[in-house]
Amino acid sequence: MNTEIKKITVAGFRVEVVRKDIKNLHLGVYPPHGRVRVAAPLVVSDEAVRLAVLDKLGWIKQRKAEFERQPRQSRREMVSGESHYFLGRRYRLRVHERPGPARVAVRGVDNLELFVRPGLSSEQREEILHRWYRAQLKELIPPLLEKWQDALGVEASDWGIKKMKTKWGSCTVAARRIWFNLELARKPVQCLEYIMVHELLHLLERHHNERFSELMNRHLPLWKNYRAMLNGLPLGHEEWKEETENA
């Protein structure tokens, strides 16, 4: 696929314009700092992109302000006493250095126990926690996916979990493949379901148009509440390189 990437300035905002072989123009504002990105057909001019951005200027400013207000965690050092989130609940990390396999366990109502070999770096400890998050999502997703595929009358051919900097989920419509952001392990289950319904509905409606909103309203009436919940929770510290793993 031919792709052209450039940056333009519109009303004081830097806008990343990605031109590729697509039919429609798509505009998005992405966390953590409200990056503005436009995916546009190859034949669309810069002036047409500027007009599209100006038409959505109020919405862009609102989304950027929401991201700026959203609390952020500082970089985690992976030491005892730190706060970490799992399924929307805040836990206090307790690190135990001892020989044997690494593992993570929830103890009581507010303790997250991390068992590691002595001498591991903070990055290695964090990777152990991320593997645990991935394992928890792999247990949570299949029954929810079965529930919502039946409810929506669609079926994904495959799904996976990956770290993503700008999206909570994605749907590759042609391959019928759904991706979930690893960060969803930190969020309430309702947020995972909202993303699941959103991406599955793209198998019925590719675009974020009026029909898509109607489908969301019909099948998940509280989806806007869940979206607000998702966007209101603390953002994790992000210095990620994207990595993928199939389910």
Side-chain angles (χ1 to χ4, degrees):
M1 178 182 290
N2 294 328
T3 303
E4 173 193 328
I5 302 175
K6 67 184 299 185
K7 292 188 178 179
I8 63 175
T9 301
V10 183
F13 293 123
R14 294 287 287 170
V15 178
E16 180 183 71
V17 181
V18 180
R19 285 190 175 83
K20 48 189 176 180
D21 188 16
I22 56 177
K23 293 182 179 180
N24 299 296
L25 183 146
H26 304 280
L27 187 153
V29 182
Y30 300 102
H33 301 298
R35 178 174 63 92
V36 183
R37 180 181 184 273
V38 175
L42 293 168
V43 297
V44 170
S45 67
D46 285 356
E47 184 60 25
V49 171
R50 286 191 178 92
L51 290 174
V53 173
L54 288 171
D55 184 57
K56 295 288 186 178
L57 195 58
W59 176 78
I60 291 170
K61 290 180 178 179
Q62 178 183 344
R63 293 294 289 149
K64 288 177 74 70
E66 288 172 357
F67 288 133
E68 289 302 319
R69 290 195 298 268
Q70 191 167 357
R72 290 169 171 78
Q73 288 189 319
S74 59
R75 182 176 181 85
R76 303 288 86 178
E77 298 297 331
M78 301 304 298
V79 295
S80 292
E82 278 185 342
S83 293
H84 289 263
Y85 287 82
F86 174 55
L87 298 183
R89 295 194 60 175
R90 181 179 176 181
Y91 290 87
R92 190 70 65 186
L93 186 68
R94 297 283 183 258
V95 179
H96 306 275
E97 291 189 328
R98 68 180 194 183
R103 65 186 182 91
V104 179
V106 173
R107 294 283 174 83
V109 296
D110 60 0
N111 287 328
L112 193 63
E113 310 281 345
L114 175 63
F115 299 87
V116 295
R117 296 192 310 275
L120 291 187
S121 68
S122 59
E123 290 79 10
Q124 290 171 315
R125 293 179 179 186
E126 186 172 44
E127 182 54 35
I128 291 166
L129 181 60
H130 284 175
R131 288 202 300 267
W132 183 76
Y133 279 145
R134 190 184 298 274
Q136 303 313 300
L137 283 180
K138 283 188 172 184
E139 290 186 8
L140 283 167
I141 288 172
L144 291 175
L145 195 60
E146 182 178 359
K147 165 190 169 182
W148 283 108
Q149 286 182 144
D150 289 345
L152 302 176
V154 298
E155 185 174 353
S157 63
D158 194 13
W159 61 272
I161 301 163
K162 62 182 177 180
K163 296 178 181 179
M164 293 185 278
K165 288 185 177 181
T166 62
K167 297 179 179 179
W168 292 112
S170 67
C171 176
T172 307
V173 176
R176 305 183 73 82
R177 181 181 296 113
I178 305 295
W179 291 105
F180 299 96
N181 193 327
L182 180 63
E183 277 287 291
L184 288 168
R186 305 179 195 266
K187 314 305 178 184
V189 172
Q190 297 96 319
C191 296
L192 173 62
E193 288 198 79
Y194 156 61
I195 295 300
M196 184 176 293
V197 173
H198 181 113
E199 302 308 336
L200 284 173
L201 282 178
H202 279 308
L203 299 177
L204 295 175
E205 174 54 61
R206 182 186 297 261
H207 305 296
H208 292 125
N209 52 25
E210 185 175 340
R211 178 173 180 251
F212 185 85
S213 295
E214 289 173 355
L215 288 168
M216 287 294 298
N217 289 333
R218 183 191 313 165
H219 294 287
L220 195 67
L222 296 178
W223 70 272
K224 291 183 180 178
N225 293 27
Y226 301 146
R227 183 180 65 183
M229 181 190 302
L230 181 59
N231 291 328
L233 292 166
L235 288 170
H237 180 82
E238 293 179 351
E239 288 183 357
W240 293 343
K241 294 179 181 177
E242 186 172 286
E243 61 181 40
T244 66
E245 176 180 311
N246 288 331

